[in-house]
Every structure is written in structure tokens, then in C-alpha cells.
Amino acid sequence: MAQTDLRALQDTEFPVPEELQANIAITSLDKIYNWSRRSSMWPLLFGLACCAIEMIGTAASRFDFSRFGFEVMRGSPRQSDLMIVSGTVTKKMIVPIVRLYNQMPEPKYVLAMGACASGGGPFKEGYNVVSGVDKYLPVDVYVPGCPPTPQALLYGMITLQKKIDGQSLANLDDVPWYGVGPSEPTPVPVLGPDIIDPRQMELIREQAQQAALEAPFGARELPAWVNPTEVAQEATAVVETQEGAEDGVDPAKAARIRKREEAMARLAARRAAKGGQ
Amino acid sequence: MDVVADKTQLDISASVELLRERWPDAISHDNRDGFSGIIVDPAQLDDVALAMRDELGFDYLSSVTGVDYLGVADHMEVVYHAYRTSGGPALVFKAQTGRDDPRVPSLVSVWPGADFQEREAYDLYGIHFEGHPDLRRILLWDGFDGHPLRKDWQEAYYEEEHKPFDSRWPGGQVYRAEEKNVFGKNVKYPDDFDLGRLNDVSESDLYQGLGLGVDVQALDSDGLRTDRLVVNLGPHHPSTHGVFRMVVTLDGETIASLDPVMGYLHRNHEKIGERNSFLHNLPFTDRLDYISSMSNNLGYALAVEQLLSQGARYSPPTYRAECLRVLMVELTRIVNHLWSLGFLLNDLGAFFTPMLYANNEREKILDFFEATAGSRLMCNYMRFAGVYRDIPERIRSVANLVNDKVRDYNTMDYLTEMVNERLPRFLDEYDTLLTRNEILRERTVGVGVLLPEDAIALSTCGPLLRASGVPYDVRRADPYSIYPELDFDIPIGKNGDIYDRFLVRFQEMRESVRILRQILPRLERSQGEEVMSKVAHTPRVPVGEAYGRVENPKGELGYYVVSEGDPKGPQNPWRYHVRAPSFINLTALGPMCVGHKVADVVTILGSIDIVLGETDR
């Protein structure tokens, strides 16, 4: 890298002679440290789904992200700085993903590539799909698209470099890994009847018990503030009372009650079937 | 002997009559509106299947799938599609069983290729295949609660039975699924779920299935009796082409057994597909085999067109539309084979250079896709009775991102140059550099041999089947689109090893170029013709079932679609099943690897050319 111009690194009031500025830089520790880090980010060779094809396309001959410092992709998490989560994260796969993330040395970054990794994407409603890798791992950059084009991915990666440029060793909220002692690994999810996040054991326990006592799944009422029918109903209720309409039962409410009853019947049938065997 | 030879030539209805004569009580016609085939009594299923294979010559079991008819007829159904490798249409037969304790005899002993498909039906429907040698979950983990494709099973983010959801219609309010779920995540637990008794059983059966007979995880002290070693390759491993996992038992460095573990990309295509409307599913098919999205579109379009053609107001695609379809599909075949050969060599240790060369050509084709369909990878180009739009006048592409120099080509010139000069030149160059390469031959000749009879029995398809010497290609065996009028050969191999698969793929690219050369003049001639017949955007799909299949680059891709057909009701498929070539080709992986060295596993897997989006769906 003989051609490297060090002018970008200058971070001082101290006058460096003009003709030397390309070769000599007087700078701060933050700046040179970040500069060297972000100029050699090695991504983990790790593809999940469709986006991985575009990621390989970005790494390959035409777009070639080595030009931006993402020199080589490493097969081992021990040698990589950046995890590009390229594709749909499933419940079965999140377990290895968290393990891989834990094995990466700090400082480490996560880039959620595409709609699926960012929030579930087109497969969000799927029973085996985690709606976004950020449910388990801290994500630094989200790249939208399905799949993002190589241009979009490169832009996301350059955005990550900018983010690194802005980090400071002095600010531990920003970069927790410069604190004292090793940081805690992310707890690995467990595959039970459905995926279980160990960080939320207590919450799950409470809510599962509550759910079992009150009503079966699918019949659960929403809190008022998120229930759109109820909000709409409240808005119209004012008008209705003024008009003095007394039709009796509100149709929206009746529909909800009916749905609940149907679900209860389903549950009863299921329990009877279980008992019968 | 003459009689037997004759029987293998019988057409479908004569074959069915013959079977019905022999088993008058066990076999009945499927008389439901829009359905075809026969319904076989489960008690007689193995005998009937044996007669189909041995006497009638239906040696190739293409697809096995379950359907849950809750609320319609309240039974489960297993649907089989069997073909002759000599060509011709399918013999469709079904076995019906109750919903409470569904049991059907396993046909693995008749067609070993039913293995993974029956496991999948067990996983997703809970149908017990009696006599199956290894009936475990295949896509989900052991201990998962329920069988998700049953109609009464609801996912955690369940909203409504059919899309478009009422809440999204005018007047409805959209809220996030997280807000509805008390856990705030895409999870649900059984009502009697107790976290206190939680232990991870997700792989409890896996290691038992390896024939070790002992819990390998406890093999750290005196329990160790043999020197066999269990090695997990994947799910994170560069050689597995995605998130695929192989549990390999090693005797020294030799493979004693290999158990594929999949489902790491199981993203519930079929469950989502049943909620989607017919048209909704088209972009989802892109994401099956994400390297060859165009061909996936075509298979699905063909399946739905079969249904649509039963109803009124349907006109088939115009000639130009058919030409465009074949153009796209053959370009896709080249794209896919470039990619797969590049990565096969990558697996052999030619790290990335062959792949980078192949990728250059691939990008040229992707530029054309982008200019036409709007997207490089997920083209979503085919429509029912046509294609999305005609090819554009000009193609503009950016060379790379250093200099944003835009190159502007006339599309037909671009295609002509690509088909007549660029691709042949590249293929010759690649051929010269690789085909007779010493190292390539040393590593591939005689490795991973699959005999033709095994290839058929294991229901393999595509280049894998043809490299074993079976000239079976859906484009010829059961033609669709305008393939009958095109002139091309079906390349086959002799030995069924990795090298032959390499050669078959190579030859297929040349054949595709040959097809493209015939397509271009047809495109010139049909200039100006409509590419989309007049079909409503949300077509009323009549009741019935359809099985549309195409010769995808990776093999036979089939879509089994069942329509409820309520003209006023929601327009959703009742059942949407994908017969994925990668998934079924993997049945042959274990048998092919046994006896080889561990380093060969990577190459053998590369030679099957799987893509996980399709394997796991």
C-alpha cells in the first residue's frame, strides 16, 4: 500500500509541512486505530439464503469488495470481524448463528443483509422464521432489499466503516469491549417445543402460565392500545351514544366473542384427543 | 414375457383398468371435480405399488406429498406421482387415511426415493408411514410442537386464513404481528408447557440413527469400543453451499455412513403458500432455487395454467410469450451451470479462480434479466398465461462501481452477441482449461459413482440422473412450452461419477446455447406480439388439482397445487407443494459417499448441485 495517502489521518493542530503530509501523519490514537480496523474488515464466510448469492456476487470479479478493505472472507469466526447475516434466519439456524457470533473475537460487527435478516421479510409469518436477527444479536447496519443489489450491500458496508470511524476508545457506551474484563457471551437459544430465548425465561414462564389459565392461543385479546377495532369502536362510540342507538351487541365485539368460543372449542377437542390416546 | 413388455407400454387409463381388474375393491377412480388418478386402499398399497413398478413399468416415483382435507372431506391424503423413465404422463395415485391417527404403508421398499419425502410428510402432517426404516422429523427439530401443515395448526403470527387479510383492505388498520403476540416474538408454546422440565431434545434421535447404538455424546470414557468418529460438517461450512449439515461417521478417513440434516433454511414456503393467493406465490417461487428463479416461475405458472385452462375465459400464452419463457429458462440453465461448475471446482481446491471467470459471464446474463424483469436475481417474470413484459429495447448496465460508465446496448444485439460469440467462446476456453485437467480428473473420475438403476430407484433427477446414463429429461419425456419444435440433444454420461456430471453440465450449457440460437430468430419474427394474454390479475382458479413440472437446471421441479375453487371465496391454493429436485437428489448423497474419503464428500455434494432454499423450502 505504498500509494496510501495519509492526509485522511491528520488529526492535529500541529503543522506538518505540506510536502510531507502524504507520508507523515500526526494523529490521535482513536483515529489511527479506527482507520486500521475499518480498512481491513474481514467478513465471515457465512451465507444463509438468497442474499448469500448476492454477497458472493459482491465479493466476486465484478463488484469486488476487496477494493474497500473487506479483503478476504474467512471461514473461521475466530479470524473475522464482520458477520454479514445474508438471508432468512430460521429458528433452527439461529442456534449456530449465536454460537458463531460468540466465537468471533471483539471488536465485532453484524450487518443484517436483506429484508429477512432485518425483520423477517416475506417469510416473517413462517413458524420456523426468526423475525430479524436483531432479536438475538446486536445489529450495526441494516441493508434493505430482497435481495439487496451488490451496490446496496457495498453501501451498507461503507456505512459500517463510517460508523467505526466515529467510535472512540474513550466512550465505553459506544464500544463496550474496551471496558475492563471480558464481555458476556450472548446466551444460546434452546430448541424446545418452540425456540426459547434464555434471556427471557422468566417472562416466558409468566406469560405462558397466564396464557394457559386464561385463554388458548389465537383467542388472546389485544391490549386496547393496539387493537384497531377497539380504537375505531371507541371513536364511533361517542357518535353512537349521542344518536342513542341501542342495537344491543356490537358486531365487532360479537365477532371477537365468536372467535374466542371457536378457539375454546378447538382447544377442548384437542385436550379430549390427548386424553383419549 | 411378451405380455410384460406390452404392459409397460400401456397408457395411463389402460394401466388403471388393468390394476382395477386385479384389485376391484381396493382401487377406485378419483371422481372429485377436477381431480384425476386413482385412490388406493392403504391396506393394499404396497402390492399395488409393486405391480405398478414391476409390471406396468412406472419405475420412477417423482413426488410424494400429504394433503389435509380438514373441513372438506375430513381425511388426510397421500398423493403419489409415478412416471416411466421411458417418458409419458404420470400415474397419479392416492391413499386416504383418517385425520386422528393417519397411517399409510411406506413405499420406501418399492421406491427408495420415497424416503425423504415420506419423512417430510411425517414431519409436516404427522402421517405415519408404517415400515419406513427411519421415520424421523426432517425439516424441523425433534421435539417441535405439532405438525405445522395440518390445517388446524396455527403459527404464532397467525392472522387470518386467507390473504389479502381483511385488516389490510381499505378501512383496515395494519398492526405488527409482534404486537399481537404476547411474547413479542414469533413463538408459541403449548398450553401445558413447563419451562422447569425443559431439556434440549432437538437432536435426540439423530445420533441414534447412525447405527452406533450408543449415545455418542457420552463416549468419553470406557464406553468407547470402536474407533469410529462422528464428524459434523455444517451447518456453517463453506463446502455445503449454504446451511446444510452432514453427520458423517468415519472409520479412519473413510466414510462409514452419512446422514444429511436439513431444515436450517426451512422457511415455511408451503404453509405461507396456502395463505397466499395464487398470484402471491409467484415471487415466493423465485426464492426456492434462488440461482434459477426464472425456471421456478415457469413451473408454477404451468401448474396454475393447467388449472386455469379447465375454466372459462382462459387463453394460453402467445407464441412470443412462450419464446420468451424458453429464452429465460435456458439462460437460467447457463447461469446455474456456470455457478455450479465454478463452485464444484472451488470445492476441489481451485479456490475461486474458475468461479470468478464463470461469474463474469453470469453477470452479463443477469444484466439482461435486470433490464427485462427489473431484478437481477429474483426476477418474478412469468405470469399465468404469459410473461410480465416484453424485453426492452435497450440494456443499460454499469460496468463496475469504480467508474460509473454506463454501457448502452441494443437488446437483440446484446443477446445475439452473447449467444453466438461470447458464450461459445467462453465455454471453449473453460473447456480447454479444465476438462482434461489432470487434477480435476484425478479427483473426480470414479468418485461418487451412482449406477443407473440406483439413480432411478432413488428418484434422482436432472444432471445427476443423466450422468448415470438415464436419458430422462422432462423437456423431452413430458414436453411443455415450445420444446417439441426445438432441436436439441439430451447429454448423458456413462459412468455416473463426478466427472460425468461435470461433463453433462458442460454439454447442457452448449445445448442451451443451441436452443437460444433457435429462439432468437423466433423472437425477431414475433416482434410486436402481445406477451400477456388477457387474464384477470386475480384469476378465478377452478376447483381441482394440478401437477406442473419443468426441467430445472437442478432437475425435475414439480408443483402440486390443489384449488378449492370456490368462485366467490378466497382465491388461495388449498395445497401448494413443491417437489424440489435438490431435496430429493440428496437421498442419493449417503449411498454415494459411503466408502469414500472425507475430502470426497465435499466434492460429491458439489456435484449434486444443491441449493438450500429449495431443499428446505
Side-chain angles (χ1 to χ4, degrees), chain B residues 307-328:
Chain B
L307 286 171
L308 284 172
S309 62
Q310 305 298 319
R313 295 180 57 229
Y314 168 77
S315 51
T318 59
Y319 189 72
R320 186 171 175 78
E322 293 283 16
C323 288
L324 284 172
R325 284 180 171 188
V326 174
L327 171 80
M328 295 302 179

Side-chain angles (χ1 to χ4, degrees), chain B residues 510-528:
Chain B
R510 291 191 191 277
E511 292 299 326
S512 290
V513 171
R514 199 168 142 200
I515 294 174
L516 291 171
R517 281 191 186 140
Q518 300 166 50
I519 288 291
L520 290 183
R522 285 173 164 81
L523 279 181
E524 298 275 11
R525 278 206 301 277
S526 61
Q527 200 91 42

Side-chain angles (χ1 to χ4, degrees), chain A residues 210-238:
Chain A
Q210 196 72 16
L213 282 175
E214 280 180 354
F217 240 92
R220 205 167 291 122
E221 304 268 330
L222 293 168
W225 59 275
V226 290
N227 190 333
T229 40
E230 217 151 86
V231 174
Q233 202 181 307
E234 274 170 23
T236 50
V238 186

Side-chain angles (χ1 to χ4, degrees), chain A residues 62 67 90-92 126 195, chain B residues 141 186 189 262 264 398 402:
Chain A
R62 186 178 185 187
R67 296 179 293 163
T90 62
K91 289 175 185 170
K92 205 168 172 178
I195 195 153
Chain B
W141 60 90
N186 190 7
Y189 305 102
M262 46 195 110
Y264 291 97
V398 180
V402 177

Side-chain angles (χ1 to χ4, degrees), chain B residues 143 345 491:
Chain B
L345 288 153

Side-chain angles (χ1 to χ4, degrees), chain A residues 124-139:
Chain A
K124 179 173 176 177
E125 65 190 273
Y127 48 85
N128 190 27
V129 175
V130 174
S131 40
V133 73
D134 55 1
K135 299 279 181 295
Y136 292 90
L137 300 180
V139 175

Side-chain angles (χ1 to χ4, degrees), chain A residues 91 94-95 130 136 189-197, chain B residues 141 187 189:
Chain A
K91 289 175 185 170
I94 188 71
V95 181
V130 174
Y136 292 90
V190 184
L191 292 174
D194 206 327
I195 195 153
I196 295 155
D197 187 352
Chain B
W141 60 90
V187 290
Y189 305 102

Side-chain angles (χ1 to χ4, degrees), chain B residues 492-510:
Chain B
I492 57 166
K494 262 194 307 220
N495 308 319
D497 55 9
I498 300 177
Y499 189 63
D500 276 8
R501 281 166 219 147
F502 174 85
L503 292 181
V504 163
R505 291 211 170 87
F506 219 102
Q507 207 53 43
E508 278 190 11
M509 282 199 278
R510 291 191 191 277

